[in-house]
Amino acid sequence: MDGPGNPSEAWLELAPDYERARTREDSLDRLVEWPAQRQLLGDVTGRSVLDVGCGNGGKLAELVGDGATACVGVDISGNFVSAQQPPDLEFIRGDLSELDSVPGLVGRTFDRILFLQSFGYAKDPIRTLQAARAMLADDGFILLTRTQPIRYAVERVEQNGTSLGEEYFSTAAFSYLSGWNDQITLTKRPYTISDLINVFSAAGLWIETAVEPQLSEEARRRYPHKQAWMNKYLGILIFKLRPHRGPSARG
């Protein structure tokens, strides 16, 4: 159970199910999320990348194939794509909630730091983002994605028979069955879009770009059931974050 006090435990159980779900032809990660994330990353040739909560590391391995160098993936599950990594790819088992003390990261900097749907597992979101900001190289940025919070509000409206406003602004933790494994119940803290913006600001970051990716016209025609889901639950938010510079930045 993904309890509010220890959100990382659920990922240990769910990681294999998530990776299986990603391989499906109609996976929204394959159709919508990763293409949008990859576009925002741009040319990674010669760039160092830290993927925080990297899962099995498949996306990071793809970036290395595209020319990224000195790349590190961190995940608490330790279920990485291969024990044999190329010289520019390293995987470390570690908790993103303790990012500032993960062995192998101390004193290192990266051009790109990724939180691809992993940020919700941080026990202290501000602390985790501050640790990541401290690891950014000059002109580096953080790419962070989160589920659109209205999705959870709509699901709770369906479950509780309440209104959208009541559920969107609720501060009570809520539970639901995981879409990756219906034998596992997750408990989440609700959040609003303004909550996310305020967390970024408190961590000393500003939003350079925000994207709400959608299915392509071809994917809509090919997978109408996915478009129906997107019409109802909206999808994800992607933020490109850069650090505030100078004495006003919080540390």
Side-chain angles (χ1 to χ4, degrees):
M1 185 172 180
D2 179 12
N6 194 359
S8 296
E9 289 183 1
W11 178 244
L12 290 172
E13 294 185 75
L14 285 173
D17 302 301
Y18 168 73
E19 299 299 346
R20 280 192 291 271
R22 281 193 62 231
T23 63
R24 291 174 47 181
E25 185 181 83
D26 65 349
S27 161
L28 285 175
D29 183 72
R30 292 182 61 176
L31 295 171
V32 178
E33 297 176 18
W34 179 232
Q37 293 159 359
R38 185 66 191 87
Q39 182 176 14
L40 280 175
L41 281 172
D43 184 5
V44 295
T45 303
R47 300 288 190 178
S48 56
V49 182
L50 171 63
D51 190 349
V52 183
C54 66
N56 70 3
K59 291 181 177 179
L60 190 60
E62 183 177 327
L63 294 177
V64 170
D66 289 343
T69 61
C71 295
V72 178
V74 175
D75 198 271
I76 199 169
S77 72
N79 298 318
F80 304 123
V81 284
S82 172
Q84 299 296 321
Q85 285 95 40
D88 283 316
L89 181 58
E90 177 185 0
F91 292 121
I92 300 172
R93 185 168 187 174
D95 189 342
L96 61 81
S97 292
E98 306 294 331
L99 193 60
D100 47 6
S101 59
V102 170
L105 293 184
V106 177
R108 297 184 67 171
T109 59
F110 299 89
D111 298 306
R112 308 287 182 261
I113 298 179
L114 316 181
F115 290 89
L116 305 183
Q117 292 294 76
S118 61
F119 187 64
Y121 294 96
K123 296 175 188 176
D124 183 338
I126 295 173
R127 175 191 169 189
T128 295
L129 276 185
Q130 286 174 331
R133 178 170 63 86
M135 295 180 194
L136 279 175
D138 292 342
D139 201 35
F141 64 80
I142 294 171
L143 192 70
L144 184 150
T145 71
R146 286 225 67 179
T147 299
Q148 163 63 258
I150 293 175
R151 169 198 165 177
Y152 293 128
V154 171
E155 289 179 340
R156 296 198 303 275
V157 166
E158 296 171 337
Q159 177 181 319
N160 300 329
T162 48
S163 69
L164 183 60
E166 286 177 277
E167 297 297 352
Y168 181 71
F169 292 108
S170 173
T171 58
F174 63 96
S175 299
Y176 65 100
L177 293 177
S178 167
W180 303 324
N181 184 334
D182 62 9
Q183 300 302 307
I184 297 176
T185 299
L186 302 176
T187 298
K188 297 282 188 180
R189 299 182 188 90
Y191 58 92
T192 63
I193 293 173
S194 59
D195 289 334
L196 290 177
I197 294 171
N198 289 332
V199 165
F200 302 156
S201 179
L205 299 163
W206 62 278
I207 301 169
E208 180 179 284
T209 306
V211 177
E212 298 177 82
Q214 297 294 301
L215 286 162
S216 66
E217 288 296 335
E218 178 186 358
R220 291 176 186 180
R221 291 191 297 269
R222 189 170 183 181
Y223 305 106
H225 63 294
K226 290 297 184 180
Q227 184 58 54
W229 189 95
M230 292 287 288
N231 287 343
K232 190 172 190 180
Y233 298 117
L234 306 184
I236 67 165
L237 300 165
I238 308 178
F239 298 96
K240 184 176 180 180
L241 306 171
R242 291 198 185 263
H244 288 292
R245 301 297 184 186
S248 61
R250 304 178 191 179

